Amino acid sequence: MQYVFLSHDVDWKKQGPGTEHILARKERFDSQLFEKTPLEKMYYNFPEYMEIEEKYGTKSTFFFRTIYENGNVFDYEDEIRSLNKNGWEIGLHLDPSSVKDIEKIRNEKNTIEKILQNKIVGNRVHFLKTDKQLLEKLNELGFVYDSSVKKSKDHFKDDIGHYNQNGVIEFPITIMDAYLFTYMKVKEEQIISIFNDVLKYSREINSEFNIFSLLWHDNVLKMKGGRMYSKILEFLASQNDVVLCSGIELVNKIKKR
Ligand SMILES: [Zn+2]
């Protein structure tokens, strides 16, 4: 089987980046979208993600920051609780300024857990600004997995599968939305064939058990490119040997082996 770890990083505060920021990037959206969507909802996609993933029988992981520019993670209290109550996994989107300091990491973890009223076990560093000693710290704090490594920005072959280090499972990011459209120069109409290539390669390495990880930022679902998420899941779900899952589900599958 080919297991696909589905995840979303919540990079922006609940109200989005603000009118000016969005209007400066107007061309990223279909112009008609502005007629029916208020600006503060252009980056807000939780209900849509939940609907798409439920349609394809899966529930992913959302990584939340605790530090938002001009915003507060507590604004996301309802979303965090509702996602989790309905079966989605919540993880920590660690601030790069905390990576080297175990007390800062502990504080960030506690903040999310306080909102969630439950434990979290997964982490990803914002901007993927991780460092070699991070996994050791995560292990000490009770994290079970991390997904902050991406070796190559312009192809996927170096970032497939998983490995164990310092008692933590690392899932390298195989495909990330932003790199797909910038470094990899993929056009919307080519996206499905890229996923077909990833699958083919993943099967070649290990047709019985392999993993690849997909990062699709929570704010991109209405953007050109980002709006292909539903088509991607449709394609992946149509394959007999593909299982879509969250990080924690994947960890449990690995441990059972
Ligand atoms: Zn981020």
Side-chain angles (χ1 to χ4, degrees), residues 33-44:
L33 209 56
F34 289 94
E35 289 159 26
K36 52 184 183 188
T37 316
L39 283 177
E40 67 274 13
K41 290 282 177 195
M42 293 300 265
Y43 274 37
Y44 187 89

Side-chain angles (χ1 to χ4, degrees), residues 152-164:
S152 171
K153 287 179 174 170
D154 57 4
H155 66 275
F156 59 80
K157 293 190 174 177
D158 294 335
D159 297 299
I160 221 157
H162 75 287
Y163 55 87
N164 288 281

Side-chain angles (χ1 to χ4, degrees), residues 9-11 65 93 125-127 217:
D9 296 354
V10 184
D11 280 355
R65 303 175 68 186
H93 198 30
V125 185
H126 182 48
F127 294 139
H217 284 82

Side-chain angles (χ1 to χ4, degrees), residues 204-216:
E204 274 167 26
I205 296 171
N206 189 341
S207 63
E208 273 169 40
F209 186 90
N210 210 351
I211 292 164
F212 68 89
S213 301
L214 173 60
L215 158 52
W216 215 254

Side-chain angles (χ1 to χ4, degrees), residues 171-234:
F171 297 112
I173 299 163
T174 317
I175 294 278
M176 188 216 292
D177 53 358
Y179 292 170
L180 203 59
F181 304 118
T182 54
Y183 297 100
M184 291 175 76
K185 297 185 172 60
V186 172
K187 296 200 170 64
E188 240 182 14
E189 55 274 21
Q190 302 168 310
I191 287 183
I192 300 304
S193 87
I194 287 286
F195 278 87
N196 198 31
D197 293 346
V198 176
L199 257 182
K200 212 174 132 203
Y201 181 71
S202 182
R203 287 178 184 125
E204 274 167 26
I205 296 171
N206 189 341
S207 63
E208 273 169 40
F209 186 90
N210 210 351
I211 292 164
F212 68 89
S213 301
L214 173 60
L215 158 52
W216 215 254
H217 284 82
D218 90 300
N219 64 300
V220 303
L221 196 61
K222 293 187 186 80
M223 291 181 196
K224 294 169 189 167
R227 63 190 175 189
M228 289 297 284
Y229 185 70
S230 159
K231 293 270 178 248
I232 295 167
L233 290 206
E234 183 185 31

